Amino acid sequence: SASPVVSPSPLVPEVESPPMGPPPGVRGSTSQWNDLRILSVLEKIRLQKEETARLQQERILAQQATLQRFGMPFFSRSIEDLSGSMEGIIPEDYRLLPGDELEATVTNLNGGSSMEAVVVDETGRASFTGLGPISVEGLTRAQVESTVNSSLSRTRLRNMTARVRILQAQKIRVFVLGEAARPGGYLMNSGSTLLDALLRAGGPSETGSFRKITLQRNGRTIATLDLYPLLINGKLDSPRLLMGDRVFIPLAGDQITVLGEVKRPAIYELLGERTLDQVIRLAGGALPEAYSPFVQIRRVTGNQDRIVLDVPLKGSRVPVRGGDTVLVRTVLQDLTNGVYLEGATNRPGWYQLRPGMRIQDLLSQAEGLKEGAYGPHAEIFRRAAPEQPLQMIGFSLDRALLGDPANNLTLARGDIVLIFSEDEAQFQQRVRVQGQVQSPGEYPFHQSMRVRDLVLLAGGTSQEAAPMAEIARSTPSGDVQIIAFNVERVMLSPQAADNVELMSGDAVVIRPRLHARPFPASVALVGEFVNPGVYFVNPGEDLRAVIQRAGGLTPAAYFPAAVLTRELPEIVSSDRQKVIRDFLDVIQEVARQYAAAEAMRQSDPRAAGRLDLTSISDSGTSVDPRLLGAILKTGRVPIELDQILVNGNGDPGVVDGDVLYVPLKPRTVSVVGAVSLPSGIIWRPGFSAFDYINRAGGFLHDAEEGEVMVMRANGELVRADRAGQIGPGDVVAVPNKAIVAKPDAFESFLQVLQAVVNGAVLFRVFN
């Protein structure tokens, strides 16, 4: 008894909480209180729509399974009813021929009668007792009877009357040829018609025409028969057959299939019908449930492509062609003039929305409330426009029933009115889902809730979800019971054995697959590569192999300044974020120095403008939030690129999101922090860190001279008194005393320094 399936599609609404809070006695937010109920109502309405669509689909499938050419059932039933007794049926307008046999019954006034049979001789005369030969050839039965009675009135037998019938007429042989169900020659009564011959031959075959049947006599076509007027209106002019006539049924012409909401779905043969209107009329017209704005025409073009055309049903002169399939769909279940009532009421369901209709009017039509309905609060869910989320409007049910205008609200088209029971109002149990779902978190628990319901409430699983998942359940003893289930089977079928029934307090976790990712891993190669850019990589691939795929490095590449940045796996601490913001001025200065150095290296004065990481506003220094986020999450991996390329020693491999930047040989050394003039200083061989500090104007009064640090071009961080000679592209950082004195601040300063230089590299990738 699984609970209704809630789709994670757009049918699940965004529910906006009303200005008022939850009703008295209800714990938790109003949205938590009612989210499952409104989803249940929406699901019920959705299932009604789906049921209509399902019934239509079944109707169409049933039509397709039994579909026949129009007219075939008529002949199949006619064959079943045809018997030898039809051989004796002679039409009243049949005219006698030599060889026909007549029967005359003569009755006198006293009631006595006599009967005799006579044959029309080769001269066309019949000899009756007491009357002699009478010429009857070419006369009908009634004319012969009138002639005999006239002759009796002129004799002594004037008190007698005669009745004449034709016992047996002359047989004629006709041939039914072409696409007949049973082609061949047939002996038939004289006076039989073309339709009689078709009935004897079983009518047209599956490939025969119903609309261009010809009657041929003495080598000429004397009539062409269209059976559709007979089948549709009961009208037919069927010519009389003579000895030797030939009935020819050609191959059927162009045919079109009509399905769906029409009175006679079938395969129709076209004869002059060229528009959709004419074809719909052949099918008896559309049913009242037919959806008139659009009819679908499915067509094969050029014997190779299938196309779909959506055209109006009414007044459509859209041309049709042989081979088309016309599908007339049904009107959807949506009610354009209704409101939906759900919950603790005697008659829930759809109701007609009348002008000015209010809550009190609706409940009156629904014959009031059930016992136990929750009076302090009820809700209306309303969608202002099809693309808008549902709005939730709370009101007091008790006051609405008393006619209070503030609560007896006016209803709008499509409103869903939800009346809660007292049990539902005290609803407070919860379950949790974590991991690979669209919206992890806590959800209200309800009786008979199963794991599939919870996963669908959370938006369904992501494509990285592993097949196996777990439910954690607390036992009365305080232990945790683990229940494993196959989430793939659960999502495929609500009836799966893995679709475990949940209990309040259960926690479901759906883990990711090993190495699961929505897209292939990629790394960026920036700078002096023969073919720089983004490269997709396999798990565990070496950095050396990726560089080889890029064609290697250019002769101008500066190996010692190669920078490999990688996203940090740990969560960025709030302390680190605070330190980053405290050192925005340092970030700004390093960015300026880096941009100036790049401009010098490339001899392009526009480069500095392109590489500026920040902007200065009236409120002070600011940093691009996107760059700041990347700086916070990214670390630098020290590498010796020359060794990696020669023999692979120290190759760190690559992971998704790595950035390898190899610049031209820099010409400056950056000096940042507590110096008089933070700037980029032209590199000179043999200079120490303190030589560059002097070139930058020396220490400020609050500089901590004993904690000067040097960041090498390759990302290595060393103390200045141990750094020795400074190389091109190195950064000399001078902290101030306040930073060093603050607990853990100096370490954070060093982290920021590394992150800032990494950020400069990342900015190049962003650009």
Side-chain angles (χ1 to χ4, degrees):
S1 59
S3 57
V5 177
V6 181
S7 171
S9 68
L11 289 172
V12 177
E14 297 178 49
V15 179
E16 300 177 357
S17 298
M20 60 183 295
V26 177
R27 299 182 183 181
S29 69
T30 305
S31 61
Q32 291 175 349
W33 180 46
N34 60 33
D35 52 5
L36 276 179
R37 282 307 309 273
I38 186 58
L39 287 175
S40 174
V41 176
L42 291 171
E43 176 68 6
K44 185 184 296 186
I45 296 172
R46 183 181 70 83
L47 289 175
Q48 291 175 355
K49 298 178 185 178
E50 287 186 353
E51 179 68 7
T52 301
R54 184 186 65 80
L55 291 175
Q56 185 198 24
Q57 186 66 18
E58 288 182 357
R59 174 184 171 90
I60 292 172
L61 290 175
Q63 288 177 357
Q64 289 177 322
T66 60
L67 202 65
Q68 290 183 288
R69 296 179 60 215
F70 181 63
M72 294 296 289
F74 170 78
F75 284 100
S76 62
R77 287 193 290 269
S78 297
I79 292 170
E80 294 170 3
D81 295 340
L82 193 63
S83 64
S85 62
M86 291 185 65
E87 295 294 326
I89 299 175
I90 300 173
E92 277 295 311
D93 59 351
Y94 173 68
R95 298 185 180 278
L96 294 170
L97 295 172
D100 290 347
E101 186 176 353
L102 301 176
E103 180 185 76
T105 302
V106 180
T107 305
N108 59 32
L109 294 178
N110 297 324
S113 64
S114 63
M115 181 185 301
E116 79 174 311
V118 297
V119 176
V120 180
D121 62 22
E122 59 186 12
T123 65
R125 291 183 294 177
S127 298
F128 294 92
T129 302
L131 297 177
I134 298 175
S135 179
V136 297
E137 182 177 2
L139 300 181
T140 65
R141 182 206 62 80
Q143 290 173 334
V144 172
E145 185 175 276
S146 175
T147 301
V148 170
N149 282 314
S150 295
S151 298
L152 287 173
S153 65
R154 293 193 296 271
T155 66
R156 59 183 178 84
L157 303 174
R158 66 176 60 90
N159 293 327
M160 295 186 177
T161 59
R163 292 189 60 81
V164 177
R165 70 185 185 94
I166 303 174
L167 284 178
Q168 185 172 345
Q170 185 91 357
K171 297 292 184 181
I172 59 173
R173 181 174 293 276
V174 296
F175 299 90
V176 182
L177 306 173
E179 304 299 316
R182 295 193 304 272
Y186 293 91
L187 279 175
M188 305 186 68
N189 287 330
S190 296
S192 296
T193 66
L194 193 156
L195 180 58
D196 296 328
L198 290 175
L199 291 171
R200 291 289 299 276
S205 68
E206 287 291 341
T207 57
S209 174
F210 278 78
R211 312 204 64 181
K212 294 179 289 186
I213 302 169
T214 60
L215 175 60
Q216 300 174 4
R217 182 176 297 160
N218 299 324
R220 293 187 305 109
T221 298
I222 64 168
T224 300
L225 184 66
D226 179 4
L227 291 175
Y228 275 19
L230 169 67
L231 300 172
I232 295 174
N233 303 315
K235 299 177 180 178
L236 184 69
D237 183 13
S238 182
R240 189 67 53 79
L241 298 176
L242 298 180
M243 177 69 76
D245 280 355
R246 298 186 179 189
V247 178
F248 180 72
I249 304 176
L251 285 168
D254 289 341
Q255 298 179 87
I256 191 167
T257 301
V258 185
L259 290 170
E261 303 301 315
V262 292
K263 295 176 181 176
R264 286 193 301 263
I267 301 171
Y268 290 90
E269 184 179 351
L270 301 179
L271 183 67
E273 295 85 7
R274 290 294 178 263
T275 66
L276 179 62
D277 267 354
Q278 294 171 328
V279 169
I280 295 297
R281 282 198 294 271
L282 275 183
L287 293 172
E289 299 84 11
Y291 182 64
S292 63
F294 291 105
V295 170
Q296 190 174 92
I297 299 177
R298 300 174 182 175
R299 176 174 296 168
V300 175
T301 62
N303 292 100
Q304 59 182 5
D305 296 321
R306 292 187 182 273
I307 64 172
V308 173
L309 304 175
D310 289 330
V311 298
L313 172 63
K314 295 183 178 178
S316 176
R317 300 191 61 80
V318 174
V320 294
R321 63 177 68 169
D324 283 356
T325 296
V326 176
L327 179 58
V328 181
R329 298 188 182 277
T330 189
V331 174
L332 295 178
Q333 187 69 23
D334 292 343
L335 298 179
T336 58
N337 69 331
V339 292
Y340 192 82
L341 178 62
E342 174 68 12
T345 181
N346 287 318
R347 293 188 179 276
W350 285 104
Y351 286 87
Q352 178 186 350
L353 176 66
R354 303 179 185 280
M357 188 176 189
R358 293 178 176 268
I359 295 292
Q360 197 176 33
D361 304 323
L362 175 62
L363 293 175
S364 175
Q365 283 190 253
E367 298 183 7
L369 303 173
K370 286 184 177 179
E371 184 178 353
Y374 185 72
H377 187 82
E379 285 161 2
I380 298 172
F381 290 86
R382 178 174 297 167
R383 199 183 300 275
E387 69 279 1
Q388 296 295 319
L390 283 176
Q391 289 183 316
M392 188 175 68
I393 306 169
F395 64 95
S396 168
L397 182 60
D398 290 337
R399 294 181 182 179
L401 292 175
L402 293 174
D404 176 17
N407 290 275
N408 189 25
L409 303 175
T410 302
L411 298 172
R413 186 178 68 180
D415 277 357
I416 299 172
V417 180
L418 194 53
I419 308 298
F420 296 98
S421 67
E422 291 180 352
D423 290 339
E424 291 169 328
Q426 302 303 326
F427 193 82
Q428 53 185 309
Q429 297 175 308
R430 313 288 286 176
V431 287
R432 176 185 293 176
V433 60
Q434 297 169 267
Q436 299 301 310
V437 292
Q438 302 299 330
S439 300
E442 291 188 5
Y443 289 87
F445 169 78
H446 63 87
Q447 294 299 319
S448 302
M449 187 178 193
R450 294 182 178 268
V451 65
R452 188 175 191 269
D453 305 330
L454 177 58
V455 173
L456 289 173
L457 278 175
T461 59
S462 67
Q463 61 184 5
E464 295 87 23
M468 295 305 298
E470 288 180 349
I471 302 169
R473 176 174 297 168
S474 298
T475 64
S477 63
D479 297 330
V480 175
Q481 178 187 5
I482 302 298
I483 305 170
F485 66 94
N486 187 301
V487 69
E488 291 181 346
R489 287 199 292 262
V490 165
M491 300 312 292
L492 282 174
S493 171
Q495 285 74 41
D498 294 69
N499 193 18
V500 179
E501 186 169 341
L502 297 176
M503 296 177 62
S504 178
D506 280 357
V508 177
V509 60
I510 299 176
R511 293 181 290 270
R513 296 193 309 271
L514 181 64
H515 304 308
R517 61 177 65 253
F519 302 103
S522 64
V523 298
L525 303 183
V526 183
E528 295 302 310
F529 294 91
V530 175
N531 296 297
V534 176
Y535 287 82
F536 292 103
V537 295
N538 291 309
E541 189 169 352
D542 291 336
L543 178 62
R544 182 185 183 190
V546 180
I547 295 173
Q548 289 173 348
R549 286 167 57 192
L553 293 159
T554 67
Y558 184 57
F559 287 24
V563 177
L564 177 63
T565 58
R566 179 168 293 173
E567 186 171 322
L568 298 174
E570 67 271 8
I571 298 174
V572 179
S573 68
S574 59
D575 290 341
R576 188 179 185 197
Q577 295 183 41
K578 184 177 185 301
V579 172
I580 286 286
R581 294 184 179 91
D582 289 342
F583 283 91
L584 288 180
D585 56 340
V586 178
I587 295 174
Q588 174 71 10
E589 197 58 44
V590 172
R592 289 181 183 277
Q593 293 169 20
Y594 181 82
E598 280 293 297
M600 291 174 63
R601 282 194 290 271
Q602 299 181 14
S603 299
D604 182 0
R606 294 173 297 174
R610 289 199 304 270
L611 296 169
D612 189 9
L613 304 181
T614 61
S615 61
I616 299 178
S617 65
D618 294 337
S619 60
T621 304
S622 61
V623 178
D624 183 345
R626 181 179 63 167
L627 176 61
L628 183 57
I631 291 172
L632 286 169
K633 294 189 297 182
T634 305
R636 190 169 183 175
V637 181
I639 59 172
E640 295 182 4
L641 189 57
D642 53 348
Q643 293 297 315
I644 292 173
L645 293 178
V646 171
N647 51 33
N649 289 343
D651 193 323
V654 289
V655 298
D656 189 30
D658 277 0
V659 178
L660 177 60
Y661 172 58
V662 182
L664 292 165
K665 183 175 181 178
R667 298 181 183 181
T668 62
V669 173
S670 298
V671 183
V672 300
V675 294
S676 297
L677 185 62
S679 59
I681 310 297
I682 300 299
W683 173 77
R684 303 216 178 230
F687 269 31
S688 69
F690 298 99
D691 293 328
Y692 288 103
I693 290 172
N694 291 332
R695 289 295 183 102
F699 293 108
L700 293 176
H701 69 279
D702 64 340
E704 183 55 74
E705 299 177 14
E707 298 291 349
V708 177
M709 303 298 295
V710 175
M711 178 178 283
R712 298 293 191 191
N714 67 350
E716 181 184 2
L717 190 64
V718 296
R719 294 177 65 89
D721 54 7
R722 299 174 186 172
Q725 292 189 16
I726 303 300
D730 288 354
V731 177
V732 179
V734 182
N736 59 34
K737 292 178 181 178
I739 288 294
V740 176
K742 192 174 181 181
D744 301 326
F746 182 60
E747 181 182 351
S748 297
F749 169 76
L750 299 180
Q751 294 176 2
V752 170
L753 182 62
Q754 290 179 309
V756 165
V757 180
N758 296 343
V761 177
L762 289 171
F763 187 79
R764 287 186 55 80
V765 178
F766 289 154
N767 276 354

